[in-house]
Amino acid sequence: MDAELSSIFLKIGLATMPRSTAKFIAYDLRPAKQTERRLLLDYLESLKETGVEISSSRYIGMGGAKFYDFAMVHRFLGISDLVSCEWNETMARRGNYNRPFALIDVQNRRVGRYIDDHLHEKLAVTWLDYDTGLNDDIIEDIVKIGSKAVINSSFFVTVCSDLPDRLRDMSGQERQEDISEIFGAFSDDVAHGDLEEANFSMAVSKILTKAFQNSFAGRTDGLWLPIFRVDYRDSSRMLTYGGTFANAEVAKKLKKIVKRRLPFLLRDEEFYSIRNYNLTERERHLFEFSATARRNCKEANKLRDLGFTEADFKAYEDLVRFLPRYVETYF
């Protein structure tokens, strides 16, 4: 195991022998994650609508062994320059074997090192889709982005936002000191209340916000627009923070287009939470019909009889274009 990684994982209280979660998580069976992927794709379609040539960009991600996000950006956005970084040598071999397109360049290296060497080369869409909690190594990757990003490139970071086990038995003051030691000035806005288990995602979001602000602070040729802020839970609670470093013209157009296509992403300063639905096919039919009809239609009234609330209706209206459908088949 890489000594640098060992030191990091010991410091942040995660498993001392990190594993690539692509080995044991069925990423194809996580409805909230798949909803997030579709939302992100629609956000990038919005950026394309501004005139940015998304198809000519490089997609940088961590495809594991299944490459769902890679398949989506290639098929729907026409991106053909695809780079997947995998630090684990075994998973890199598996990734190279399982890549769905020969176009995907699987690199056995940490994504931060790839950013260092190549981000400056061309327009990019970069999704740092981590499966761990936030740590100083991830912050270092974010800070590298700003000075190297080509204008109108997009960046997204996903991390687990559950309270780390190492903090559970600490007092509030001890938690504050621990976070401050790891993240330094990036944690200045984190309050004691943010470090409670129920609020820890707020601490994570504040640190990510500071890191991105710091990353682009030296740039005067564009504006960092953190429009894509989403959290979700399939098993662990995950948080994705991202957006586009845009010039003035693209920034103005993008805000208008996102307001039309994805208005719920702009409702307030908080993260948009993807609601989990556990529906039968008959209930889903009622939701899909009522989400595109009047609220007092008979389908909506039937859902009310079944115990669903106005909040359920509103969230389904937001997500009706993005929720995946899974089927079981027998041979």
Side-chain angles (χ1 to χ4, degrees):
M1 177 178 150
D2 189 307
E4 177 187 1
L5 278 174
S6 178
S7 172
I8 290 169
F9 275 75
L10 282 168
K11 184 176 182 181
I12 64 174
L14 298 173
T16 57
M17 183 64 73
R19 295 178 291 171
S20 172
T21 56
K23 290 184 177 180
F24 57 91
I25 292 178
Y27 285 102
D28 51 342
L29 299 178
R30 299 198 298 160
K33 181 65 178 180
Q34 184 64 4
T35 301
E36 181 201 36
R37 291 189 188 109
R38 293 181 176 188
L39 287 172
L40 192 144
L41 187 67
D42 207 73
Y43 172 83
L44 293 172
E45 289 277 9
S46 300
L47 181 61
K48 179 181 177 181
E49 198 174 321
T50 70
V52 173
E53 294 186 11
I54 290 286
S55 62
S56 68
S57 67
R58 173 178 293 152
Y59 182 72
I60 304 167
M62 295 178 275
K66 296 189 176 179
F67 299 98
Y68 291 106
D69 49 328
F70 285 76
M72 292 174 77
V73 300
H74 179 59
R75 289 189 171 118
F76 296 105
L77 298 175
I79 299 176
S80 297
D81 188 349
L82 306 162
V83 178
S84 177
C85 296
E86 178 59 66
W87 66 268
N88 181 285
E89 185 178 354
T90 299
M91 280 309 303
R93 289 200 303 271
R94 284 189 63 192
N96 199 54
Y97 174 77
N98 288 288
R99 56 187 176 147
F101 313 115
L103 298 166
I104 299 175
D105 177 15
V106 178
Q107 301 234 348
N108 182 200
R109 65 192 302 192
R110 292 188 57 76
V111 69
R113 292 175 183 167
Y114 184 87
I115 288 172
D116 258 342
D117 294 339
H118 299 287
L119 188 62
H120 67 279
E121 293 174 347
K122 62 186 297 188
L123 184 73
V125 174
T126 302
W127 190 359
L128 307 183
D129 192 3
Y130 300 99
D131 42 46
T132 65
L134 189 61
N135 59 52
D136 52 353
D137 198 47
I138 294 173
I139 295 298
E140 183 180 339
D141 289 345
I142 294 170
V143 171
K144 291 173 181 177
I145 288 171
S147 64
K148 300 175 183 296
V150 173
I151 195 72
N152 296 328
S153 291
S154 297
F155 304 94
F156 310 90
V157 173
T158 299
V159 293
C160 176
S161 60
D162 285 332
L163 183 73
D165 289 341
R166 76 177 192 284
L167 297 181
R168 293 186 182 278
D169 294 330
M170 293 184 184
S171 68
Q173 183 61 36
E174 288 171 332
R175 290 179 181 182
Q176 193 91 44
E177 291 171 357
D178 181 274
I179 292 295
S180 181
E181 180 183 354
I182 295 173
F183 299 108
F186 295 116
S187 63
D188 284 352
D189 292 340
V190 176
H192 281 289
D194 298 331
L195 299 176
E196 297 295 329
E197 183 169 5
N199 303 327
F200 192 73
S201 62
M202 182 60 68
V204 174
S205 70
K206 287 180 176 180
I207 294 169
L208 285 173
T209 298
K210 279 273 193 181
F212 270 101
Q213 288 174 346
N214 176 275
S215 184
F216 289 103
R219 297 288 294 266
T220 60
D221 55 330
L223 177 67
W224 169 240
L225 297 175
I227 292 174
F228 196 90
R229 303 185 305 275
V230 170
D231 71 21
Y232 63 94
R233 180 189 293 275
D234 285 304
S235 50
S236 299
R237 185 173 185 181
M238 306 298 292
L239 183 152
T240 297
Y241 181 99
T244 301
F245 181 63
N247 63 36
E249 181 182 0
V250 168
K252 183 178 180 180
K253 291 179 180 178
L254 182 59
K255 289 177 183 177
K256 289 182 179 179
I257 294 167
V258 171
K259 187 175 182 179
R260 170 169 52 82
R261 296 180 63 136
L262 299 161
F264 48 89
L265 293 183
L266 301 175
R267 282 181 189 152
D268 52 42
E269 296 301 317
E270 302 299 327
F271 280 65
Y272 179 77
S273 185
I274 295 174
R275 183 177 288 250
N276 284 320
Y277 287 92
N278 185 14
L279 304 173
T280 67
E281 279 301 306
R282 295 180 72 180
E283 290 167 347
R284 180 157 184 167
H285 168 74
L286 294 176
F287 263 111
E288 295 196 345
F289 191 93
S290 60
T292 55
R294 293 175 291 106
R295 278 288 176 87
N296 62 348
C297 66
K298 65 179 181 180
E299 289 80 5
N301 289 331
K302 181 60 179 177
L303 287 169
R304 291 186 182 96
D305 290 341
L306 294 172
F308 294 100
T309 67
E310 294 305 311
D312 294 320
F313 290 127
K314 183 58 181 172
Y316 205 96
E317 286 176 7
D318 292 342
L319 300 175
V320 64
R321 295 192 295 122
F322 309 106
L323 292 170
R325 173 175 263 109
Y326 296 106
V327 297
E328 184 176 8
T329 60
Y330 295 89
F331 294 95

